[in-house]
Amino acid sequence: MIRIGVIGYGYWGPNLVRNFADLRDAGVTMVADRRRERLGQVERRYPSVRTTTDAADLIQSADVDAVVIATPVEQHFDLTMAALRAGKHVLVEKPIASSSEQAERMIEEARRRRLVLMVDHTFVYTGAVQKIRDLTRNGDLGDIYYYDSVRINLGLFQHDVNVLWDLAVHDLSIMDFVLQRQPTAVSATGLAHVAGSPENIAYMTMFFDGPLIAHVHVNWLAPVKIRRTLLGGSRRMVVFDDLEASEKVKVYDRGISVDPSPENVYQMLVGYRSGDMWAPKLALAEALSAEASHFIDCVSHGSEPTTDGEAGLRIVRLLEAASASMSAQGRLVTLEQPV
Ligand SMILES: NC(=O)c1ccc[n+]([C@@H]2O[C@H](COP(=O)([O-])OP(=O)(O)OC[C@H]3O[C@@H](n4cnc5c(N)ncnc54)[C@H](O)[C@@H]3O)[C@@H](O)[C@H]2O)c1
């Protein structure tokens, strides 16, 4: 039985507590939140769980084997480092840290102490994204030409991070998992409509080696909620609409074929293919349940999580490049490629 302590019981923390509490091989022993009124809710719902307003109490507690951190990003580094130094495994919310330098230090600390460091890239554990990954990897979609996503609503304005660090993280983590290729350059533009606040609308374009392009549009100031992603391949195309109740993923057997005209080599003939559309069956389990289970598995067996510290670091590097580009009105920022 792995004993879990959760720090942060705001908006997202309750989902983590519920999913860990439901697992057979884990139990939630403690919850920390600075706000006393949040702890009252824990006590009413989970009478056997101890509560504290001091995260250090939880981290030092002898009946906590692993710490789950669901606080705003500015706290991720300090809390993760304190937990690792106390010998605890860590699952930390997205984005893993406020800078790539912090993420690198967290990875190093976990590696040195042989502890699990995992980041909550929730979408990676959804049936929809796993299906899209399978379709991509087994060649059903052909060569991937583009990733194009819109993630907008009247969202909660965050005070510590811009909209890219809040919403685009989801797309970047989906791309990281599905494409398994890293962008070579990034350009982003965006604006803040509240003086002194971070940007609440942003457009981020990513370039890769070869004919693949990605675009992510995120916005906290939209009158409607849209969560729609298109993945265009040379053989088939996918539309992922996360707001659809059942058929979230649709695969279109549509595309083009390009042949040089026999009469004139300078002229291309573009042929259109319009075949069937189908909605594949998806795993129905709640993503956080699959993810919590995966974390417990990694802690029990000392294995590397799918969304490990390195995955968190790759996303933070992209976010840093995008923020730098955005503050220079979209200047192209090139990214160092892993050797
Ligand atoms: N994976 C997802 O889909 C998803 C969804 C929403 C939020 N998140 C992430 O979860 C994290 C938290 O977001 P949220 O919306 O729940 O924020 P929130 O502000 O609603 O909740 C954070 C809670 O942490 C508490 N807290 C802050 N610092 C603390 C400390 N040092 N010790 C103890 N308690 C502390 C606050 O009192 C608050 O109750 C963020 O990193 C966010 O990006 C992830």
Side-chain angles (χ1 to χ4, degrees), residues 7-13 32-35 38 53 55 70-73 75-76 79 93-95 120 122 158 166 170:
I7 306 176
Y9 200 77
Y11 164 66
W12 197 243
D33 199 296
R34 278 178 176 164
R35 294 184 292 161
R38 297 300 301 159
T53 51
T71 63
V73 59
Q75 309 271 333
H76 291 180
L79 291 171
E93 261 317 314
K94 59 83 186 162
D120 177 12
T122 319
Q158 309 280 334
D166 180 37
H170 294 307

Side-chain angles (χ1 to χ4, degrees), residues 318-333:
L318 283 174
L319 293 170
E320 282 177 335
S323 292
S325 172
M326 195 155 64
S327 53
Q329 262 108 32
R331 178 177 60 83
L332 193 69
V333 173

Side-chain angles (χ1 to χ4, degrees), residues 35-84:
R35 294 184 292 161
R36 187 62 250 165
E37 73 272 17
R38 297 300 301 159
L39 297 177
Q41 300 214 7
V42 180
E43 287 151 12
R44 276 191 295 282
R45 184 145 184 211
Y46 307 97
S48 64
V49 172
R50 287 190 296 126
T51 59
T52 175
T53 51
D54 184 358
D57 274 357
L58 181 150
I59 288 170
Q60 296 305 331
S61 179
D63 64 356
V64 168
D65 306 309
V67 175
V68 175
I69 299 168
T71 63
V73 59
E74 63 201 10
Q75 309 271 333
H76 291 180
F77 175 71
D78 286 346
L79 291 171
T80 300
M81 290 302 268
L84 292 171

